[in-house]
Amino acid sequence: MNLEGTGRLALLAAGVFAVFGSACAAGGSVLQGDGAPDARDADASSDVATDAADDAAPDATGDGPDAVDDAADTDGSGDDAAGDGAEAGPCSTAADCDDGVECTSDDCDLAAGRCTHASDHDACGDGNACNGEEICDVVLGCLPGTAIDCTDGIDCSVDACDPLSGDCRVTPDHSRCTPPQLCDPGGGGCVDPPACTSDAHCTDGDACNGAKTCGADGTCGRGTPRACDDGRDCTLDSCNPLDGSCSAWPDDTRCQDGRYCNGAERCDAGSGCVTGAPPACSDGVLCTADRCDVASDVCVAEARDALCDNGRYCDGLERCNAATGCTAGSPPSCSDGLACTTDRCDPAASSGAGGCVFAAPDADGDTYPSAACTGSDCNDADGAVHPGAAEICNASDEDCDGSTDELFPCVRGRSEPCTTGCSSAGTRTCSAGCAWGSCTPPAETCNGLDDDCVSGCDNGFGCCLGAAGSCTTSCGSSGSRSCGAGCAWGSCAPPGETCNAADDDCDGTCDEGCRHPVHRSYSTAGTDHFYAVDAGEAGCCGYVIEYLDYFYLYDAAIGAVTSFYRCWLASGGDHFYTTDASCEGAPGAAFEGSIGYIGTSPFCGAVPLYRLSHPTDGDHFYTTSAAERDSAVASGFTDEGIAGYVWGG
């Protein structure tokens, strides 16, 4: 900002001097005033002097105690007594009382053990007479004074305060007037220029206004003002009216952003606004973490219990009181919940850090507490029994390792299973000298084994469990039996049926499955009875089957049997059956082979096969029925006796 110096502009017109300059008006408004109540007070007043008075005593305007002082006040009065400064925590030296506020004098009241902080207002002066007298607040630090207001109410003048003297300077700015008018603050603003006959008549004695000349129209023209703007927004720039020299004075208030936590910004005449140093926010309490809270823009102190810990467990957990500092902890109870132990906190435990110890009783005095009460002595009534004692053969655990007689082959008097000479599960016992005895076999039981190593398997029982033996069945065949539960023989099981002319499986029938059926048919001409093994043959070629499976013949020569042959007499159109392979020498008889084996005696339930023949047509007829035989004889057949023995189905 260019604030030109001002003086008197004397113009010679008709021998009369017109005065355009004026003196500074006292008590004017500030160049950079706060314009509002102090941000850190609760005042409604904007006057810095009133604010400063409020910082040392209750507010005069009735708006309540000072907000900042009350925040630090700990004496309970609601406001600080005049001059007592901010309250602080305990201390032992002045070094403990640094509150980080540069304008306070910090000391320790050794008698009271508390910090004191006194304001040094001289430390806040910035040498600028225009912004008022700065004061020191014990909490907020330096606060600005009340600025001087140099406004004269003239639109064409530039009003400024001299930082060195505090005097107001009013500089006419002719550019704000319509030419040819000039600015005359003393004359009320823009006026017509005075008359002149030479440049000397236009000289006003102010080197900052520039050289003024007398124009052809006989009036003074405008000079070119001295330009003193250094380009720094935060400096107060001025011109010396005596010699026209420029000067720039830094104004810190132009740099301040109103944020407490980022420190007080200042103006550097060479570089402009410079960032301030954040406040230290130290409250003098050693166990608090002090910081400036950006959100609320005030100093806060957080208690940190860890800073009070003395590392001695038995002293308990020390805590931090944000106002008074570290407080002692309560010693731990050190109870393990066991009635049998003696519990206490030992400061020497844990390498001197301290810790709870729980002592268990040692009744036998062997330095080993009882295992029943957290110790390791397995017998606290015997001093010879404890961990590390020598083990002896006595079926006891002397060294308390959980094992008995472990230095010997076995535990005295103890028994264990063993395998006998006959591979049974026996038992052996540890002797008085802790050596194993022989393996004693068990008593014999019914299990298919030789348990007692005497006379083999299951001696004393009827048989050996699971054994098999031969036997004679109820039908006289050679069966088998097995030794079952209780080592007793089971029933005799017959064998499967075989072709041996006997009833092997005792079902009342012998050789089932060893014989084949023979079917009976007759010719439609009524001259031949036909017996064939093949049912298809029996019902073929003019024959009608009369009985399927009429009787059975053996497949092979088993027992008292012989071949039974079929012969054919073409002359009579007749088949006959015989045991004679020559067809009994009958003239013209044709041999057609064997149809099976017929019994020569009645065995395995065989029945007679009666043979008959008809004297007229030569038809041979065979039947197993005596009644049918007799009926046939009655009808004219001749009984030729028994052809052999055959079997039913």
Side-chain angles (χ1 to χ4, degrees):
M1 178 181 292
N2 184 18
L3 301 177
E4 292 186 355
T6 183
R8 292 184 176 273
L9 177 61
L11 298 180
L12 181 61
V16 179
F17 284 95
V19 180
F20 283 79
S22 66
C24 287
S29 62
V30 297
L31 272 176
Q32 187 65 29
D34 55 8
D38 190 332
R40 305 212 172 269
D41 289 329
D43 294 343
S45 173
S46 63
D47 184 69
V48 175
T50 302
D51 290 344
D54 289 344
D55 286 342
D59 293 340
T61 58
D63 59 355
D66 182 69
V68 173
D69 289 345
D70 289 346
D73 182 35
T74 60
D75 60 11
S77 64
D79 55 272
D80 295 340
D84 64 351
E87 308 254 359
C91 62
S92 57
T93 66
D96 298 335
C97 298
D98 184 6
D99 60 1
V101 179
E102 295 182 357
C103 68
T104 60
S105 175
D106 308 321
D107 201 359
C108 177
D109 184 346
L110 297 179
R114 301 185 64 79
C115 294
T116 61
H117 308 285
S119 298
D120 181 5
H121 299 304
D122 293 338
C124 295
D126 60 1
N128 183 354
C130 292
N131 59 12
E133 182 181 359
E134 292 80 12
I135 64 171
C136 175
D137 184 278
V138 293
V139 174
L140 303 178
C142 290
L143 297 177
T146 302
I148 298 174
D149 184 4
C150 289
T151 304
D152 63 356
I154 304 301
D155 293 339
C156 67
S157 66
V158 177
D159 310 321
C161 178
D162 188 337
L164 294 177
S165 64
D167 296 335
C168 288
R169 293 183 179 179
V170 179
T171 304
D173 184 357
H174 303 307
S175 64
R176 298 182 181 181
C177 296
T178 302
Q181 286 188 327
L182 298 177
C183 180
D184 181 6
C190 295
V191 298
D192 293 334
C196 63
T197 57
S198 67
D199 292 342
H201 292 160
C202 297
T203 301
D204 61 2
D206 190 340
C208 295
N209 287 335
K212 302 167 184 64
T213 60
C214 183
D217 60 353
T219 61
C220 291
R222 301 177 178 181
T224 302
R226 177 82 164 94
C228 287
D229 188 357
D230 63 356
R232 306 281 184 262
D233 291 340
C234 65
T235 59
L236 299 176
D237 307 322
S238 64
C239 177
N240 189 335
L242 297 178
D243 58 8
S245 61
C246 292
S247 62
W249 192 263
D251 184 1
D252 292 340
T253 61
R254 298 189 178 190
C255 295
Q256 293 171 3
D257 60 5
R259 300 295 297 172
Y260 176 68
C261 284
N262 61 10
E265 296 78 11
R266 63 183 181 83
C267 179
D268 182 271
S271 59
C273 289
V274 179
T275 302
C281 286
S282 174
D283 61 358
V285 179
L286 300 181
C287 64
T288 59
D290 307 324
R291 64 183 177 85
C292 197
D293 182 67
V294 176
S296 60
D297 205 31
V298 296
C299 287
V300 294
E302 298 174 354
R304 299 291 176 86
D305 293 338
L307 298 176
C308 294
D309 186 8
N310 64 5
R312 293 190 291 271
Y313 177 77
C314 291
D315 287 351
L317 180 63
E318 294 81 10
R319 296 189 177 278
C320 177
N321 183 295
T324 61
C326 293
T327 59
S330 299
S333 65
C334 286
S335 174
D336 60 2
L338 300 177
C340 63
T341 60
T342 300
D343 309 329
R344 64 186 179 87
C345 193
D346 184 2
S350 300
S351 301
C356 289
V357 294
F358 313 103
D362 180 17
D364 58 9
D366 58 4
T367 72
Y368 293 92
S370 172
C373 186
T374 74
S376 59
D377 193 346
C378 55
N379 186 350
D380 206 32
D382 188 347
V385 177
H386 56 76
E391 194 73 16
I392 61 176
C393 176
N394 62 353
S396 296
D397 180 16
E398 280 77 29
D399 55 7
C400 295
D401 64 353
S403 299
T404 302
D405 296 344
E406 67 268 20
L407 301 179
F408 301 90
C410 56
V411 178
R412 181 179 178 179
R414 183 173 297 176
S415 296
E416 72 174 16
C418 58
T419 302
T420 65
C422 57
S423 299
S424 62
T427 304
R428 62 177 182 173
T429 303
C430 189
S431 69
C434 291
W436 285 115
S438 60
C439 189
T440 302
E444 193 72 18
T445 60
C446 175
N447 59 1
L449 302 172
D450 181 11
D451 301 300
D452 59 5
C453 301
V454 178
S455 302
C457 171
D458 295 342
N459 59 291
F461 295 90
C463 56
C464 182
L465 182 66
S470 60
C471 57
T472 301
T473 66
S474 59
C475 60
S477 61
S478 296
S480 62
R481 60 181 180 172
S482 62
C483 187
C487 290
W489 285 113
S491 60
C492 187
E497 194 70 21
T498 61
C499 297
N500 60 358
D503 180 11
D504 301 299
D505 57 6
C506 299
D507 64 352
T509 304
C510 65
D511 292 346
E512 56 263 40
C514 299
R515 297 178 290 267
H516 59 268
V518 177
H519 314 293
R520 189 175 97 173
S521 60
Y522 61 91
S523 67
T524 56
T527 58
D528 184 32
H529 281 83
F530 185 45
Y531 301 85
V533 174
D534 186 349
E537 185 183 22
C540 177
C541 311
Y543 286 89
V544 176
I545 295 177
E546 189 175 10
Y547 296 106
L548 289 173
D549 304 336
Y550 182 57
F551 59 82
Y552 285 80
L553 299 176
Y554 269 93
D555 299 331
I558 304 298
V561 297
T562 185
S563 292
F564 198 37
Y565 303 108
R566 187 174 80 183
C567 298
W568 167 249
L569 290 173
S571 58
D574 176 54
H575 286 93
F576 70 94
Y577 301 86
T578 178
T579 58
D580 184 357
S582 65
C583 293
E584 300 176 359
F591 180 75
E592 290 186 346
S594 173
I595 64 171
Y597 291 87
I598 194 170
T600 57
S601 64
F603 69 91
C604 284
V607 297
L609 181 65
Y610 302 107
R611 173 174 162 169
L612 300 94
S613 64
H614 199 280
T616 302
D617 55 19
D619 179 24
H620 283 80
F621 177 56
Y622 298 84
T623 180
T624 59
S625 171
E628 189 179 31
R629 175 199 64 186
D630 294 344
S631 178
V633 170
S635 65
F637 277 89
T638 302
D639 184 359
E640 294 183 349
I642 298 173
Y645 296 90
V646 296
W647 293 266

